[in-house]
Amino acid sequence: MKYTGAVALLAVMSGTTALAQAPPSEIDAHIAAARSAAGQDYRATFVNLCLPSAPRGGGPGPAGPGAPAPPPTPDRANWYAAPFKVFDNLYWLGTRQHSSWALQTSAGIIIIDTNFAWATEPEIIEGLTKLGLNPRDIKYVVISHAHGDHDQGAAELQKRYGAQVVMGAPDWESTLARPATAAGGVPKRDVSVGPDGTKLTLGDTTIQIVATPGHTPGTLSYVFPVKDQGRTVMVAYSGGTLTGAFGTDGARWDEYIASQRRIARVAAEVEASVMLSNHSEYDGAYTKARLVAAPRQPGENHPFIVGTEGVQRYFTVMTECAMAAKLRAGAK
Ligand SMILES: [Zn+2]
């Protein structure tokens, strides 16, 4: 309550501008809630989403939609990471910054997110081979959203192995509008996911795909089962993170917030206890993939298992930061 007088005075002094601003205490309350939910696990997610002065790493960058020409391949020393098996049937094929995953089923492999085009060969194709898997078994490539850091490998995997590419309907539209010279090429439309989401089954494994528009209009998030030493655990996968371009577009902020609540609810329903993202800075995948290889004591948790409460905290960070940022932007 202590801010009430100051806010009222500001409103009188500067008219409608001040009236459009939420009380600082309200913004601070959302940031405090996000910070508390982030704890030590999701510090980078908190910093990138909640603190506006923080550098915004890991976005689509120059390879985003509409990029005129393929960017040069960066120095391999700055991004290459060896592949790792992280669960009985889930493999991490990421660079140090961006993650691509291989979910092995009884009827072939589902690749979840690709990466920049220059990573397709060394990380996905060679990565699978190094881990004893055959890239020819790739049946589906599921793309969380149409930004270059996650989708530039899709066309190549489709062309080379006949994999079906799965994407949110609005993101297909932006993808198909790219010039043929776009980095990684342009995939043909295979499976298009609408606002109600869908279930994708391959052999013994089903991915529940949840439409979570916001970061892009067609962003998809997922829940799916993996096995940890034979025991089934459920994964929640967050498909799109940053909100930096939303500005004063209140509807877009609201859509993003509703999406985080939707995937959090689905994650709670299936008791998801593993939190994954497509950026290592958000889920710690680069470090955790290496930790998995270290010996585990009996009863010690898998490094990727954060518990059902840990998964919910991730989405709380996203939701609370978005609410703070929306107020700060003066969006309605
Ligand atoms: Zn993106």
Side-chain angles (χ1 to χ4, degrees):
M1 288 300 288
K2 70 178 181 175
Y3 290 105
T4 311
V7 169
L9 183 60
L10 265 176
V12 170
M13 286 165 64
S14 54
T16 51
T17 318
L19 284 170
Q21 300 290 327
S25 57
E26 198 178 328
I27 298 174
D28 288 347
H30 288 303
I31 291 176
R35 186 177 200 135
S36 160
Q40 297 297 304
D41 296 324
Y42 306 124
R43 284 178 295 181
T45 314
F46 168 74
V47 166
N48 284 358
L49 282 175
C50 255
L51 305 183
S53 59
R56 302 222 169 251
T73 301
D75 185 350
R76 183 178 165 110
N78 293 329
W79 53 266
Y80 181 77
F84 278 89
K85 178 174 185 168
V86 297
F87 283 100
D88 301 0
N89 58 336
L90 187 71
Y91 301 80
W92 181 75
L93 307 172
T95 60
R96 291 193 204 180
Q97 295 82 18
H98 296 93
S99 295
S100 182
W101 306 84
L103 180 61
Q104 190 182 27
T105 80
S106 60
I109 295 168
I110 301 171
I111 296 290
I112 300 172
D113 279 323
T114 60
N115 208 312
F116 290 112
W118 40 261
T120 306
E121 191 75 45
E123 300 287 18
I124 296 181
I125 296 170
E126 288 174 25
L128 287 172
T129 309
K130 276 182 190 161
L131 294 167
L133 299 171
N134 189 344
R136 298 196 174 283
D137 293 337
I138 301 173
K139 304 296 183 206
Y140 287 104
V141 178
V142 185
I143 299 294
S144 62
H145 68 272
H147 281 162
D149 50 346
H150 309 298
D151 73 355
Q152 284 181 4
E156 181 66 19
L157 298 175
Q158 182 186 58
K159 190 172 69 179
R160 222 194 277 196
Y161 306 119
Q164 301 251 309
V165 177
V166 180
M167 223 187 297
D171 281 24
W172 269 120
E173 296 310 319
S174 59
T175 297
L176 295 172
R178 289 178 190 169
T181 53
V186 182
K188 294 185 275 93
R189 177 156 32 199
D190 288 321
V191 181
S192 184
V193 180
D196 295 334
T198 191
K199 288 190 175 175
L200 179 73
T201 299
L202 181 63
D204 58 359
T205 305
T206 297
I207 298 183
Q208 185 176 347
I209 300 179
V210 181
T212 51
H215 178 73
T216 64
T219 295
L220 304 176
S221 297
Y222 326 113
V223 296
F224 56 90
V226 294
K227 294 235 192 257
D228 174 31
Q229 299 175 344
R231 181 176 66 106
T232 298
V233 288
M234 294 300 290
V235 172
Y237 188 104
S238 173
T241 314
L242 294 182
T243 57
F246 291 11
T248 55
D249 186 347
R252 190 159 178 202
W253 286 107
D254 292 345
E255 184 177 54
Y256 177 95
I257 291 163
S259 288
Q260 303 323 312
R261 291 184 170 143
R262 183 177 311 124
I263 181 64
R265 199 164 53 238
V266 174
E269 279 163 16
V270 302
E271 299 181 11
S273 60
V274 175
M275 189 65 233
L276 296 185
S277 160
N278 39 27
H279 288 260
S280 272
E281 69 177 318
Y282 302 135
D283 63 1
Y286 172 79
T287 304
K288 287 180 176 179
R290 276 146 191 81
L291 272 175
V292 173
R296 245 196 293 169
Q297 302 302 316
E300 190 181 330
N301 244 349
H302 186 288
F304 277 97
I305 297 179
V306 295
T308 51
E309 172 267 353
V311 167
Q312 292 302 310
R313 283 194 291 109
Y314 187 85
F315 294 113
T316 300
V317 174
M318 293 181 80
T319 305
E320 292 290 341
C321 285
M323 290 163 82
K326 179 192 172 191
L327 290 172
R328 198 191 289 121
K332 294 208 172 149

